[in-house]
Amino acid sequence: MTEDRVVADGLYKAFGDNEVLKGVSFRVAAGSVTTIIGPSGSGKTTLLRALNALDVPDAGTVCIGDVSVDFAKPVSKDELRRYRMQSGFVFQSHNLFPHKTVLQNVTEGPIVVQKQPRQEAEAAAVQLLEQVGLAEKRDQYPYQLSGGQQQRVGIARALALRPKVVLFDEPTSALDPELVGEVLSVIKDLAVEGWTLVVVTHEIQFARQVSNQVLFTDRGVILEQGPPDAVIGDPKEERTRQFLQRILNPL
């Protein structure tokens, strides 16, 4: 039986009067791919950011690997730091350090956060850059790269921390259409290698191809979840059907 790598239970998050997450619960098996789909404003990105505590939940518990946090109680800085180290985050718009080279961007976390020796961190970073097809760009700066290449550096940076789960926030939404494929290809390769991935995406066919589990969110709740053939291929909820109809048949 596959162990659960992520267990989220009863997550709530509000910004002022706007309740964005309303008691969200789900599990992610180790070595699996979970995609989160849904309309804009449905809470997808907030849910992902809550898993990394970039947006600290107001209530609920999350367990990643063997680190568990109950957000209804005060959480110390040390607890939060240890919890955040369990996951890597890939942002929509890369968020690379513009004044650092590609190699320096990838080694920043291992050296500064995890206190790895520089030589060890750089050797691992070069391997990761080879994995995402950018080893020859190691000494270049972000402005010298295409958007797709920057996003692949962002993926390598997240992997460098050897996290228990990698979180992707709409990793292709800021890219020109012709660059989308190169980033999705890297994510597919990571899935094949057995990384545990949670991906917020509008790429429905990608979600169908790589997911073990699809979550459909709407108005702060998970309305439907299950394997892609069920949620995307044969949704039970009328709201899910409406959403997929608009995405897959826009005209």
Side-chain angles (χ1 to χ4, degrees):
M1 186 174 177
T2 306
E3 64 169 315
D4 287 323
R5 181 57 49 85
V6 180
V7 179
D9 186 25
L11 289 182
Y12 286 85
K13 180 64 182 177
F15 297 98
D17 294 333
N18 183 20
E19 196 174 26
V20 182
L21 300 179
K22 304 172 183 176
V24 173
S25 302
F26 66 97
R27 294 169 178 260
V28 175
S32 72
V33 181
T34 293
T35 52
I36 306 174
I37 63 173
S40 296
S42 64
K44 304 185 299 296
T45 289
T46 300
L47 175 56
L48 201 72
R49 290 174 65 88
L51 293 179
N52 187 256
L54 286 167
D55 289 331
V56 178
D58 300 322
T61 61
V62 182
C63 181
I64 301 179
D66 58 357
V67 177
S68 184
V69 175
D70 181 351
F71 289 102
K73 301 174 182 177
V75 183
S76 71
K77 285 184 178 178
D78 281 348
E79 280 181 289
L80 211 52
R81 184 182 59 82
R82 184 164 174 258
Y83 171 76
R84 284 182 173 137
M85 286 174 67
Q86 306 308 305
S87 60
F89 203 98
V90 180
F91 296 87
Q92 275 185 44
S93 52
H94 329 310
N95 281 28
L96 301 178
F97 296 111
H99 59 290
K100 293 182 182 290
T101 65
V102 164
L103 186 66
Q104 288 169 338
N105 266 279
V106 177
T107 58
E108 176 83 3
I111 292 171
V112 175
V113 178
Q114 297 180 335
K115 311 302 182 189
Q116 285 184 25
R118 181 174 300 277
Q119 195 170 356
E120 180 184 315
E122 288 184 349
V126 169
Q127 284 190 321
L128 287 170
L129 289 170
E130 286 175 358
Q131 189 174 344
V132 300
L134 291 173
E136 78 284 359
K137 305 288 187 183
R138 54 182 286 178
D139 296 321
Q140 295 193 358
Y141 289 86
Y143 76 89
Q144 297 173 294
L145 307 179
S146 71
Q149 289 171 335
Q150 289 184 45
Q151 192 59 295
R152 285 188 278 153
V153 175
I155 293 171
R157 181 181 61 182
L159 299 178
L161 296 167
R162 310 302 300 180
K164 299 286 177 56
V165 59
V166 187
L167 310 172
F168 294 82
D169 183 17
E170 298 191 32
T172 61
S173 66
L175 301 180
D176 292 334
E178 63 186 25
L179 301 176
V180 168
E182 68 184 62
V183 172
L184 294 184
S185 177
V186 169
I187 299 173
K188 287 178 183 178
D189 289 345
L190 297 179
V192 170
E193 290 168 15
W195 287 84
T196 306
L197 312 177
V198 180
V199 187
V200 170
T201 185
H202 286 299
E203 303 286 342
I204 301 301
Q205 295 303 345
F206 166 77
R208 190 166 196 165
Q209 289 170 12
V210 305
S211 304
N212 302 101
Q213 170 180 233
V214 178
L215 311 180
F216 173 71
T217 62
D218 189 44
R219 299 182 183 183
V221 300
I222 296 173
L223 209 55
E224 193 159 356
Q225 65 186 97
D229 285 349
V231 176
I232 297 173
D234 186 24
K236 302 291 184 287
E237 298 289 334
E238 177 61 27
R239 181 69 186 95
T240 315
R241 288 196 289 272
Q242 288 175 353
F243 171 77
L244 291 170
Q245 179 72 19
R246 287 177 185 152
I247 292 286
L248 298 174
N249 303 291
L251 297 179

